Structures are given as structure tokens and as C-alpha cells.
Amino acid sequence: MSYGQLAVVYDRLMEDAPYDEWKAFFLNILSKEEVRAEYVLELGCGTGEITHRLEEEGFKMTGVDMSEEMLAIASSKRNSSIRWVQQDIANLEGLRGYGAVISFCDVVNYITEERGIESMFLNAYEALEEGGVFIFDIHSPSHAHKHMSGQTFAEVYDDLSYIWFCDEENDVMTHDLTFFIEHEGVYRRFDEVHHQRIYQPDYIRKALSDAGFEIPGVYSDFSLDEAEDGDRIFFVCKKV
């Protein structure tokens, strides 16, 4: 999963993404859990839309992503003091002292091996100060199976179109993406293949517990009412 060419069009494709809802959920959880987080680490920050929004709220942000191209776009958006780090989020190094660690937009599902998930959780735990929170979301299994697996999605714009087919085998979704981008009257095609693993909430709970976390709340679809029956499941974890 390179995101090399996709990075160029990623923000266009994500124009309707609920970035402000992720920001609001994070702020509400900090208030609910009575956590004061000056330094915040975002894992899988992509082009930095959430990272920049949280910096505007006064947080001192570090954004981590494996894609050099995504980080280049994130850092070019505006002047900021955000620290951008190119690392594999399953193998973090040298990141400590954060009041909060976040990973939104189903980034965790892109880690397709259990040992990678367990390593990420351990490293998130180590990156946190005592009393800090780790907040992330995943696709709910029901949403992935019913609304993604076996589906084809397509969009056509004046200068950009794409076809996205999602297949699934043994709880691993394969996203085959084909893009056509217009430049000076000529359309250029590129293809990318990405993979996501569908995780059961019980497994996630156990992996978090094994890493040392307490789990004060599990939520769905940005609601602050505890539930696991939505399309997107949020885990709120605390280092105590």
C-alpha cells in the first residue's frame, strides 16, 4: 500500500469526509475522561486534515504516516509547527510523552496482521503519559460485510474519475482502485491495490488489555452513547 499516486487526488476524494466530527469526538472524549492533553500524536495522519484542525485548537501535534507523498502534501498545506514523521505505525520509534494518541478514518483496519495490531497498541501505550488516552476507530464487521465486501463504487468528475471494487476473503478486504486524471486534455490512468482486515471488537479489546490499557468506553458513529452497533466503532483507551 503505497498511496504514492493516490496522494495527489486523496483530498479531492475525501472532500465530504467528516473531519470536523472526528475533531469534535476527540474534544468531547477529552472532556468526558477529564484528560488534559497538550501534546497529541496522530497515527496514520494522511494529508493532515485532522492534524491541522487539532493544531488550530491549540494542541501541539505530531503526525505519523508511512507515505512520504501524503506527508509532503500535509506539510505543504499551511504554515504550522506540526512535527511530521515518516514511520510505519506498527513499528514506532522515539515517540514519547503524549497526552493523547489518535488514529481515525479506519487506519487500524489497514494493519492486516494481528502481530502488527498488537505492536501498534504496545507502541501507543509507550508513547502516552500516565493517564493519557488512545482513541481510534475501526469498521464494524457488520458494515464491512454488508456495505463494502463485493461492492463496486464509482465517481465521475470533469477532470477525475475512479472505479473502486472491494472484494473480501477470510476477513481481508482487497480494494482495487483505478483512476483516470485529466491533464491538458489527456487522461492518465493509474491503479492501486490496498488491503484492510476486518477485526472483531472482542479481539481488539483483548489486544488492548494485553498492551496494558483500560477501556473506559466503546462508541459508534461519533455518538457519546456507548454502543457497538454502528458502522464505525470507536475505542477509548486509557493508560493508568
Side-chain angles (χ1 to χ4, degrees):
M1 183 182 64
S2 69
Y3 276 101
Q5 298 181 92
L6 180 58
V8 177
V9 297
Y10 185 81
D11 282 338
R12 286 279 305 279
L13 301 177
M14 295 289 286
E15 283 178 342
D16 296 327
Y19 293 122
D20 289 333
E21 290 187 70
W22 273 301
K23 181 185 79 171
F25 183 83
F26 173 68
L27 295 175
N28 287 331
I29 290 297
L30 290 188
S31 177
K32 184 173 184 177
E33 296 298 326
E34 299 182 342
V35 173
R36 297 184 63 185
E38 181 180 4
Y39 291 88
V40 177
L41 172 64
E42 183 179 7
L43 303 180
C45 63
T47 60
E49 284 296 311
I50 295 174
T51 333
H52 283 291
R53 281 169 168 78
L54 292 179
E55 188 195 39
E56 291 170 355
E57 294 291 327
F59 297 101
K60 296 177 181 177
M61 300 297 300
T62 298
V64 178
D65 205 279
M66 191 160 57
S67 169
E68 180 181 358
E69 293 84 359
M70 288 287 205
L71 291 174
I73 292 171
S75 63
S76 70
K77 287 185 173 179
R78 65 201 78 165
N79 292 326
S80 74
S81 59
I82 297 172
R83 178 188 178 194
W84 304 106
V85 178
Q86 184 183 6
Q87 282 192 30
D88 179 352
I89 63 172
N91 296 286
L92 298 176
E93 295 180 356
L95 297 169
R96 297 288 188 273
Y98 292 91
V101 176
I102 61 173
S103 190
F104 292 143
C105 200
D106 47 86
V107 164
V108 168
N109 291 104
Y110 283 97
I111 303 175
T112 58
E113 299 291 336
E114 289 186 356
R115 63 178 179 270
I117 289 287
E118 292 157 11
S119 175
M120 177 194 179
F121 291 174
L122 283 168
N123 289 329
Y125 186 89
E126 292 299 323
L128 284 168
E129 298 175 333
E130 187 172 338
V133 288
F134 175 35
I135 308 169
F136 65 94
D137 62 51
I138 61 170
H139 291 304
S140 70
S142 61
H143 171 66
H145 289 304
K146 294 178 182 178
H147 302 131
M148 300 182 70
S149 301
Q151 300 298 312
T152 300
F153 310 92
E155 289 284 354
V156 178
Y157 305 93
D158 289 340
D159 59 346
L160 167 68
S161 63
Y162 73 86
I163 302 169
W164 164 20
F165 179 69
C166 178
D167 196 9
E168 180 207 330
E169 184 175 356
N170 297 324
D171 282 339
V172 175
M173 294 186 292
T174 299
H175 305 290
D176 284 303
L177 302 107
T178 298
F179 295 88
F180 298 90
I181 302 175
E182 186 270 335
H183 179 67
E184 296 182 349
V186 177
Y187 282 84
R188 179 174 60 90
R189 170 179 172 167
F190 70 86
D191 301 270
E192 293 204 8
V193 178
H194 299 185
H195 301 281
Q196 285 188 307
R197 176 93 176 260
I198 301 168
Y199 286 104
Q200 296 295 325
D202 284 348
Y203 165 72
I204 295 292
R205 286 178 180 274
K206 183 179 185 305
L208 288 166
S209 178
D210 289 346
F213 284 109
E214 289 190 357
I215 307 172
V218 179
Y219 306 87
S220 293
D221 298 334
F222 302 101
S223 171
L224 291 178
D225 296 324
E226 293 196 44
E228 295 184 18
D229 57 356
D231 292 345
R232 187 178 296 277
I233 302 174
F234 287 81
F235 289 83
V236 176
C237 321
K238 185 172 284 190
K239 178 176 181 175
V240 295

